[in-house]
Structures are given as structure tokens and as C-alpha cells.
Amino acid sequence: MNVIFFALVLIAFGTAAWRQLVGSAPPEASPMAALTRAAVDSAAGAVELAIGLVGVMALFLGLMKIAEAGGLLRILARLIRPLMVRLFPEVPPEHPAMGAMILNFSANMLGLGNAATPFGIRAMQELDTLNRHPGTASNAMVLFMAINTSSLTLLPTGVIALRSSAGSADPAGILPTTLFATLCATTVAVLAAFFFRRFFPLGAGEARAVAFEAAAPPADAASESEAPSLPEAAGAYPLWVSLLALAAFLALIPLTLVYGAVISPWIIPALILGFLSFGVARRVPVYEVFVEGAKDGFQVALKIIPYLVAILVAVGLLRASGALEAFVTVVGQWTGQLGMPAEALPMALLRPLSGSGAYGVMSSIISDPATGPDTYVGYLVTTLQGSTETTFYVLAVYFGAVQIRRLRHALPAALSADLAGVIAAVVAVSWMFG
């Protein structure tokens, strides 16, 4: 992130300085003045964003605490253990990180946006308890981040609502294209995380001892690198139960294709009631436990402010300098021949950098009567919004929450997933609406 942060600021400054020296704009409208305003506004916006997350963090980390106290995280971890222990062999099957990751993935699949962030941060905190190299991302952390940035989405609720408000005749028409794009991106994310791992070794830095009491095998039973044995793990569900749960999940795909627009408003209220009902059924003091978890959410939201300021200021400078616009102008004439029109290219470039910037581009495109939500460009930009993630934001927030400074191969794996998602979105939209 050191190189990325410096490069973004350097490119922005160099572009603005060149335009300032060769241009003839008045001082108050000069590129350097715009750069100054962008730096101040982006820093203020980062703090506002973090403060806006306080409520969401408090709410969902409070619910998360209830789920943990009632044992829901362990139930979820056992339910899809056959898959998770192969993806994350260094995480004990009964560790709370397993359940937290599953909740995060589930929230992303349902398109819950910021509601997935508290679950992701909690998962990262749990993974950090297993990290033997403080300040350095572990293999499990990198893989979790790569899957997160691939944005596996089953029901892009927010984008469907926006398409509906823009007058789309088929608001849920992006469901199959989004599902295809996110499946491709997630597959590439997993493969890239394993591939790049060999080029970014953990190194021989200071290590710390890590213990997990609930599921740790005897020291002479297995080596540290071996995956836990599923049949021998305590409390593992039979394989047929896991397969039945997977089949039930896959059955949701055609259901969302038909009733996605109807289901989406029910998700968050049902989620809140479901967590509380589970806690009551397990005799958890839901109010006290919720408040305890909400306190953690407040602290986490404040802790990530410096990381948000850094990345959002760098992105704000890049946009204000005109560097992004110049790049789009040059490259757009070639990408149009590959199914990425110049109108949609800013959306594809901004999505990994700035969620608000990408959202603004998408909104302006589908609100424009000349394009609208039901044209090729309208379907493409809304598919990109629903099937890709704000990569640099996610890296800054999740790793910042646990003070990770050395990201190792997280960025190349995440950007590989982003590229795969964009290519898959173009292919899917071209096939269905081109």
C-alpha cells in the first residue's frame, strides 16, 4: 500500500502541475486549486463516511455478538466445514473466524452493502488471533480479502432498487449477469490467492505464539501445515447435512431470479429478527450482549478513520487532477471495440478506487434519457456495480482494523478478481443484451 498510495498522489500532482503550467485558467479555477479542494474535501468525506458507519457497525456487531454467544458461528462453521477447511486449512474448524467469515460472505451474497462490513471486520479480528506474524497478512487473511473483493453477490438489492427508481422495465434483469460475473471473479480470486502466495513468503519476522483451545490437536498428532481431519474433528456434522445445506442454498438462485425485487426489502429486517430470535431461543441475554457488541462496533469505526483518510484523499486527488479523465479519453476508443463503451469505462476504473465515484457515474448514466437503465450501457454499469467491489476501500478498512501493514499478495489477488469480474460482466451483458 505504500507504493500504491505514493503513486496515486504522485500521478495526481504531476498531472495537475502539467495542466497548471501549460494552461491559462484563472487562479481560482486552476488545476492546483482543484487539487487543494479535493484533498480537504476528501479528508472531511473520509471522516464523515467513518462516522456514518458507526451506527451500522454498532448494530451488526451487536447482532454478531448475540450470534457468537448463542453458538451460531460454530453451527455455521460446522455446516460448510468440508469447503472451509480446504480453503482455510490453517484456521481450526471450530474457531469463531469460520462462522464470522461465513456471515460476511452471506451478507455480501445478499447485497447488504455496509451491513457486510462489520461481519468482515469481526472475521479479520478473529483471523488476527491466529496470525503468527503481527502486522503481516496471513495466508488466510489474504484469501478472505480476495474473496471479499470479488464481491460474490446472489441478490444485488441496492442496484435493483436504483434501477427500479430510474424507471427500468426489468429492475431485476441484472441478476443472471451479476451472478455470472461474481462467480467468475470469485473463482479467479481463490486461484490468484493460491498462485501469488509463493511469490510473497511470510518471512522470518517476529512471530508470536498462537493457541486455540477448543479444537487444537495434540502437538504430535499433526504438523502445523496440515488441514484438520473432517471425520475426526469434534462436533462435525455428517457430510450429507453439509450437502443438503449447499443444495438449499443453490435452490435460492432461481428463486432470486424470479422474486429478487420482492425479497430484497425483507432481508435486513428479517436478519435482525432472526439473530435476536436465535439468541432468545438459546437463552442469551440479548439486550446486554447486543450492547456489548455495539461498543466494539463504535471503537472499530473510529479506528479505521486514518486508513480511510489516506486512501480517499489519494483517490480524490487522482480524480480532481484530470488524470483519470485523460486515461479514459485515450483508452476508451479501443475498449469500445471489446464491449466496454467509453461511457462505461469510468465506472469500471472507479469501482475499485471509489465507491461514491462509481455510484455517481452509474446513477448519471441510467438517469440520462439518452441511455437509461435498460440499454446495453445501462445493463453493463449496473452489473459492474453489483458484481465488483471497492477494492482499495476494503483493503484499507479490513486490514486497518487489525493494524496490518504488510499486505503481501492481497492486492494482486484482489485486482485479478476485479479484472475477471469486469471481463465476465462484459461477456454476460454482451450475450444477453448486446
Side-chain angles (χ1 to χ4, degrees), residues 227-247:
S229 174
L230 181 61
E232 297 176 0
Y237 291 141
L239 181 60
W240 68 267
V241 175
S242 299
L243 294 177
L244 185 62
L246 178 61

Side-chain angles (χ1 to χ4, degrees), residues 227-326:
S229 174
L230 181 61
E232 297 176 0
Y237 291 141
L239 181 60
W240 68 267
V241 175
S242 299
L243 294 177
L244 185 62
L246 178 61
F249 174 76
L250 293 177
L252 292 175
I253 295 177
L255 187 66
T256 58
L257 293 177
V258 179
Y259 300 107
V262 177
I263 294 173
S264 58
W266 290 75
I267 293 176
I268 289 183
L271 192 66
I272 295 172
L273 179 62
F275 274 90
L276 293 176
S277 299
F278 178 84
V280 170
R282 304 283 288 198
R283 298 187 178 182
V284 174
V286 291
Y287 179 76
E288 289 85 354
V289 173
F290 177 88
V291 170
E292 190 65 29
K295 291 179 182 177
D296 295 338
F298 182 81
Q299 295 297 328
V300 169
L302 296 181
K303 186 185 296 184
I304 64 177
I305 288 178
Y307 299 90
L308 283 178
V309 169
I311 195 63
L312 293 185
V313 165
V315 171
L317 293 177
L318 186 69
R319 294 180 62 194
S321 69
L324 188 62
E325 182 181 354

Side-chain angles (χ1 to χ4, degrees), residues 156-168 171-172 174 260-261 264-265 359 366:
T157 53
V159 183
I160 290 173
L162 188 63
R163 286 178 53 83
S164 179
S165 66
S168 172
I174 62 166
S264 58
Y359 187 87
I366 66 174

Side-chain angles (χ1 to χ4, degrees), residues 143 146-150 184-194 413-414 416-417 420:
L143 179 57
I147 295 175
N148 246 276
T149 55
S150 72
C184 291
T186 302
T187 301
V188 170
V190 173
L191 295 177
F194 282 100
S416 298

